[in-house]
Each structure stands twice: as structure tokens, then as C-alpha cells.
Amino acid sequence: MDFGALVGIFVVIGVILLGLIIVAALLFGGLRSSIFFTVHTQENVIVERFGKFKKVAKPGLNTKAPFMETTTKPISLRVQQLEVNIETKTKDNVFVMVPVAVQYLVSEDKVVDAYYRLANPEEQIRSYVFDTVRSALSTLTLDSAFESKDDIATSVEHRLSAQMAGYGFRIVNTLVTDISPDQRVRDSMNSINAAQRDRVAAQALAEADKIKRVTQAEAEAESKRLQGEGVAAQRKAIATGIAEQYEMLRRAGIESTAEQLLLMTQYFDTMQDVARNGRSNVLMLPSNPGALGDLTTEIRNALLTSHESERAIADGEHDSRRQRADAERRQRERAESERRARQRSAEEQARRAAEQARNAAQQLGQQGQQGQNFPEPPNFTPNM
């Protein structure tokens, strides 16, 4: 073999080795990154060939043709949340701030529609939320809006689900987290509630005072009734005892002098009681026997006088009870008059607070109509 042939063989071998080195560098260098790529869990990547959709790459190791195919940014399949703050007014011209949280995700089988059909999906969702919330609150008063917060969230969710399903988005949940009116309106509402509670408290206090007074009057009436029954029973027992003693004297044959004996007995019992319990140390008694007849007459007169005194006392007690009843009636009438006055005052305060709330709401409505225009929801045209 001549020298030229050997040179040719070495040249061929060198070219082959150089080609292998270049291929290895391409495979394990930049060419490898342009052929192989990975996709993370809960993400998809769109592969385009010369700008045209080719396929959707799923999580894991994927391949693409170098220099001809390119990949897009990863498209997340996880649940995302969009915060939307809406300022609008209610039916009674009260401006409120309504924060709405929209939770959504991209459907795995509609990744292509979600990527190609909408240029800015968050702005599209925001526009639908603005339009739905403003339409709902324009038919509700402020109090009704607080009560219908869940209904507003459900309405927004249904409309978004129907509109965004065609673009590859699924609405998971819609939350109306708060309805916040102006500070002046909140202060007026608190004043109204305070006035209403004061009125209820005044009514409760008046009713409690009425029950207390009625119960006290009933207790006093029951006490008087029981006291009268006790006095009557005592008098009946005394009369029964006197009748039994008189009957015993009559059976003993001293019927003609029975009255005098009873009077004398009671007289001496009275003297004994006076001597035992009286505070005086001297007691004046008649000294001659002939004075006993006069003493009997005096005792009889004293008993008759005592009977008349008891009747007068009973009449006085009756008049006193009637006067007390009249005083209690007048006192109840004054308490009722005071309760009505307090109730009228509370109602007047509630009316004034309500009027202040309406004036504040009207001023806010006039300021909003003069200095604030709400933008219309933008109209997005899907890019194909």
C-alpha cells in the first residue's frame, strides 16, 4: 500500500470521528434541550409547528422536532382565584363596595380552547362579574342586599359557568365576601338599631313596673282580707264565749242578774289586766257599795261606746282602703303615662335616625350620579 492510500484512509477516519464528535455535542448539548422537555404535574404545554397547533404535551417527558416545533408557557390546571372589587349602588341609592372572589380552573380536555380563544381570561371573568353584580343590586335595597348575599353569589356563579364553559374554563365557586356601605350610612343604621332597642327596653321596663305594682297591690289586698277574717273570727269567738257563759248562768237560776254578773266579771278582768300590764301605778275605784249600780250602768255604756267605736273604726278602715285603691290607681295611671311618653320619645328618635339615614343615602346617591360613571364591561373577541 502506497503512502497516498494511507493518507486517504486517515482522512476518512478523521472526518468520521469529527462527525461523531459534532453529533455527540449536539445530542448532549443544546440539541438535547430542543428535542426533550418535561411537563410538571397539573400542567399542560402546547406544542406548535411553525406557529400552528400540533399537540398538547401531558405531564412527564415529552419530545418535539428540533428547529421546527416550539412549546408555549405551561398552562396550569390547578384551581385559581380572582379577586374582584365592585362599587355600585342599591335600589335605595346607597353606594356599596362588594368584594367577590371567583375560583376557576382550566378543563383538562379543553386546554386548546382556553389558550387560543381568550387573550385575557381574567379580564373577561371580571367583566361578567361586574355586570352580574350591578344588575342584581340595582333591584335590591340595602337591607335586602345583606339578606340576599348568597343569592347574588349563586347568580354570578351560574352566569359565569354558562359563559366561560365554551372557552374551556370551569367555575368552581363564587363567593361574595362582604357588602360594605359608606361609613355615614353605617352610622345611621346603628342609630336606628339603637333607637329601636331603646324603645323595646322602655316597654319592657314599663311592663315590669306594672307587674310589680299590681302584684304588690294584690298582696296588700290579700293581707287585708286575711286580717279582716282574723278580726271577725276573734269577735265571733268572744261572742260565742259570752253566749255560753250567759246560758250557764241562766241554767243556774240567776237569769235575771246574768247580764250584771257578766258585766261585773268583764269589768274585774279588765281591771286585773290594767293592773298587770298598765303603766300607771294608781287606779281610782269607787269606795262605797252603792256605787256598784252606777258602775254597772257605766260598764254597759262603755260596752255600747266600744261597739260604736269599733263600727267607726271599721268604716274608717273601709274609707282608708278606698283611698289607697284610688292612690294606687292614680299611681298606675302616672306610670302608664310615663311609659307612653318614653315610648313616644323612642319612636321619635327612631324616626329621626331613619330620616338621617335617608338623607345620607340621598346625598351619596346624588354625589355618585354627579361625579361617577361606571365603565361598561369590555367586549372581548376571541383570537383564533
Side-chain angles (χ1 to χ4, degrees):
M1 182 179 295
D2 56 1
F3 180 74
L6 290 175
V7 172
I9 293 172
F10 282 116
V11 170
V12 172
I13 294 174
V15 172
I16 293 173
L17 290 175
L18 181 61
L20 292 175
I21 292 172
I22 293 173
V23 170
L26 292 174
L27 290 175
F28 294 97
L31 183 61
R32 182 186 63 175
S33 61
S34 63
I35 296 176
F36 301 102
F37 66 94
T38 58
V39 179
H40 296 287
T41 304
Q42 288 297 318
E43 289 184 352
N44 282 171
V45 173
I46 293 179
V47 178
E48 296 177 339
R49 177 175 293 179
F50 298 115
K52 184 180 179 180
F53 171 75
K54 176 62 179 176
K55 65 178 180 179
V56 177
K58 303 296 181 179
L61 181 62
N62 294 269
T63 61
K64 63 183 178 66
F67 309 114
M68 293 184 295
E69 296 179 350
T70 58
T71 58
T72 63
K73 292 181 179 180
I75 301 173
S76 177
L77 302 180
R78 289 177 291 183
V79 177
Q80 303 179 57
Q81 179 165 307
L82 176 63
E83 300 287 343
V84 183
N85 293 319
I86 307 167
E87 185 177 8
T88 183
K89 69 175 182 177
T90 60
K91 184 179 180 181
D92 48 355
N93 294 324
V94 178
F95 281 87
V96 293
M97 182 66 69
V98 184
V100 181
V102 180
Q103 298 175 350
Y104 67 97
L105 57 83
V106 177
S107 300
E108 190 172 0
D109 56 342
K110 293 184 179 181
V111 176
V112 178
D113 292 334
Y115 183 78
Y116 286 106
R117 297 193 64 184
L118 289 181
N120 194 338
E122 289 188 356
E123 289 299 326
Q124 189 77 9
I125 294 175
R126 195 185 304 272
S127 299
Y128 282 117
V129 173
F130 266 86
D131 185 63
T132 305
V133 172
R134 285 177 177 171
S135 300
L137 286 179
S138 63
T139 61
L140 299 174
T141 61
L142 181 60
D143 294 336
S144 300
F146 280 103
E147 297 174 357
S148 306
K149 188 174 65 173
D150 294 336
D151 297 336
I152 296 173
T154 302
S155 177
V156 173
E157 182 177 349
H158 288 170
R159 184 173 182 186
L160 283 177
S161 299
Q163 295 293 334
M164 301 303 293
Y167 301 116
F169 291 89
R170 182 163 65 88
I171 305 300
V172 178
N173 200 358
T174 302
L175 304 174
V176 177
T177 57
D178 192 14
I179 297 179
S180 179
D182 187 81
Q183 182 62 40
R184 287 177 293 177
V185 177
R186 290 200 295 268
D187 293 340
S188 299
M189 294 174 63
N190 292 333
S191 299
I192 293 174
N193 292 332
Q196 291 176 350
R197 293 180 183 275
D198 289 340
R199 181 178 64 183
V200 174
Q203 292 176 350
L205 289 175
E207 188 67 24
D209 185 68
K210 176 183 176 182
I211 294 174
K212 178 181 177 181
R213 294 180 182 277
V214 170
T215 304
Q216 184 178 1
E218 292 176 352
E220 291 180 357
E222 182 67 16
S223 174
K224 295 297 183 181
R225 184 184 65 81
L226 295 176
Q227 183 179 1
E229 291 179 356
V231 172
Q234 179 184 8
R235 291 176 178 176
K236 181 179 179 181
I238 293 174
T240 302
I242 293 175
E244 290 177 354
Q245 292 180 5
Y246 183 80
E247 184 67 20
M248 291 174 59
L249 292 173
R250 187 181 63 81
R251 287 197 299 268
I254 52 176
E255 180 178 2
S256 59
T257 61
E259 181 179 358
Q260 288 79 4
L261 288 175
L262 286 175
L263 292 175
M264 291 298 298
T265 302
Q266 291 185 1
Y267 173 75
F268 288 117
D269 290 340
T270 302
M271 293 295 103
Q272 184 180 3
D273 184 72
V274 170
R276 184 183 300 113
N277 300 322
R279 296 181 180 181
S280 177
N281 295 325
V282 179
L283 183 63
M284 302 301 295
L285 295 175
S287 58
N288 54 339
L292 291 177
D294 297 334
L295 181 61
T296 302
T297 304
E298 291 178 359
I299 293 174
R300 183 185 297 109
N301 295 334
L303 291 176
L304 293 175
T305 304
S306 175
H307 179 70
E308 293 296 331
S309 299
E310 290 179 356
R311 179 180 299 176
I313 292 173
D315 294 338
E317 290 180 353
H318 178 71
D319 294 338
S320 177
R321 285 197 296 270
R322 185 173 66 248
Q323 292 176 357
R324 284 197 298 271
D326 293 338
E328 291 174 356
R329 178 179 56 79
R330 288 193 297 271
Q331 190 173 9
R332 286 196 297 270
E333 290 177 353
R334 285 197 299 270
E336 182 67 19
S337 177
E338 293 175 357
R339 183 187 67 80
R340 292 178 179 175
R342 289 194 296 268
Q343 182 176 358
R344 287 195 297 271
S345 176
E347 291 176 352
E348 180 65 19
Q349 293 178 0
R351 185 186 64 78
R352 291 179 180 175
E355 184 176 355
Q356 293 176 0
R358 287 195 297 270
N359 293 334
Q362 290 176 359
Q363 292 177 2
L364 290 176
Q366 291 174 0
Q367 293 174 3
Q369 291 174 358
Q370 293 175 1
Q372 185 173 6
N373 293 321
F374 294 97
E376 293 294 329
N379 185 14
F380 291 92
T381 302
N383 294 327
M384 298 301 295

